[in-house]
Amino acid sequence: MKFTVVHYGDPILRQRGARVDTVDEALRGTIAGMFDTMYEAHGIGLAAQQVGLALQLAVIDVRGVKDRPSQLWISGQPADVDAFMPLVLINPVIRPVGDPVGGPEGCLSFPEIYGEVCRPAEVEVQALNDRNETFEFKAGGLLARAIQHEVDHLNGVLFIDRMDSKNRTEVKGEVESLQAETKKRLRRR
Ligand code: ZN
């Protein structure tokens, strides 16, 4: 099952996701569909809002990226990132730690638009997995960036909001035409 990825200009991207109360077969079907959609689009993360569902749910898989390293710690011990993927985050609570670092970011809801975003280098995470179990870990590098980007989506926050004014100005024209195009399409529907 594949979803259509929602583009910027659709109001659902600004909606805060509702807490997931039940992790059941229906939700696991949605999660499988989100992974299919993300892999087909060559993304490394996808939030529920991006497939039209305002829920506290995101999927991540950084294995496809070889030139931007990720780090993982479980119970304070370094752990294998690839073995931890794919990652499902339900009702995640994060605590970004460390100094902010800049890095390039894109978003499947902003096709062809990229910009530099500063975010804390590491993040502590607590979430539910797709078996309804609570788990905790700490991430660094690309994985930390991807998690913060996706958790922002769950709160209606987008990567353009995190850009400094110089970087936001650089993509302003493209972002505005994407927004206009999306709104036009929504009106026709
Ligand atoms: Zn995104």
Side-chain angles (χ1 to χ4, degrees):
M1 180 184 59
K2 286 195 189 72
F3 293 104
T4 303
V5 177
V6 168
H7 285 174
Y8 181 62
D10 190 316
I12 194 150
L13 291 177
R14 288 302 186 186
Q15 223 174 300
R16 196 183 144 77
R19 215 184 137 73
V20 174
D21 289 323
T22 318
V23 181
D24 56 9
E25 279 311 307
L27 190 78
R28 280 187 280 272
T30 300
I31 291 166
M34 286 173 67
F35 274 117
D36 288 346
T37 307
M38 181 186 84
Y39 291 131
E40 190 186 62
H42 305 288
I44 61 168
L46 193 67
Q49 277 83 348
Q50 293 179 279
V51 298
L53 301 167
L55 288 175
Q56 294 289 320
L57 165 66
V59 299
I60 289 174
D61 193 337
V62 295
R63 280 176 297 187
V65 185
K66 299 293 171 207
D67 56 340
R68 297 174 70 190
S70 294
Q71 294 87 41
L72 173 69
W73 296 268
I74 297 170
S75 308
Q77 297 301 311
D80 185 43
V81 175
D82 283 7
F84 201 60
M85 299 291 125
L87 180 60
V88 177
L89 298 175
I90 300 169
N91 301 333
V93 178
I94 65 167
R95 196 169 79 90
V97 288
D99 293 331
V101 287
E105 268 181 47
C107 178
L108 294 180
S109 295
F110 292 77
E112 310 290 319
I113 298 174
Y114 302 91
E116 176 98 354
V117 179
C118 266
R119 298 186 188 272
E122 293 169 356
V123 65
E124 293 172 354
V125 184
Q126 188 188 71
L128 280 180
N129 65 17
D130 59 355
R131 295 179 303 280
N132 205 27
E133 301 155 344
T134 300
F135 67 119
E136 284 180 13
F137 61 97
K138 185 172 148 185
L142 181 65
L143 180 58
R145 179 172 293 280
I147 290 166
Q148 292 176 76
H149 179 117
E150 297 315 325
V151 172
D152 270 353
H153 271 298
L154 305 187
N155 294 310
V157 176
L158 300 169
F159 80 138
I160 49 171
D161 308 336
R162 300 279 188 196
M163 289 179 188
D164 66 16
S165 59
K166 180 182 159 283
N167 285 302
R168 201 178 306 126
T169 305
E170 271 171 25
V171 296
K172 191 169 180 275
E174 290 169 278
V175 167
E176 284 176 356
S177 39
L178 172 64
Q179 184 179 37
E181 201 182 298
T182 304
K183 288 200 162 143
K184 202 159 77 184
R185 204 168 47 225
L186 289 174
R187 276 198 300 271
R188 276 203 304 263
R189 209 154 63 182

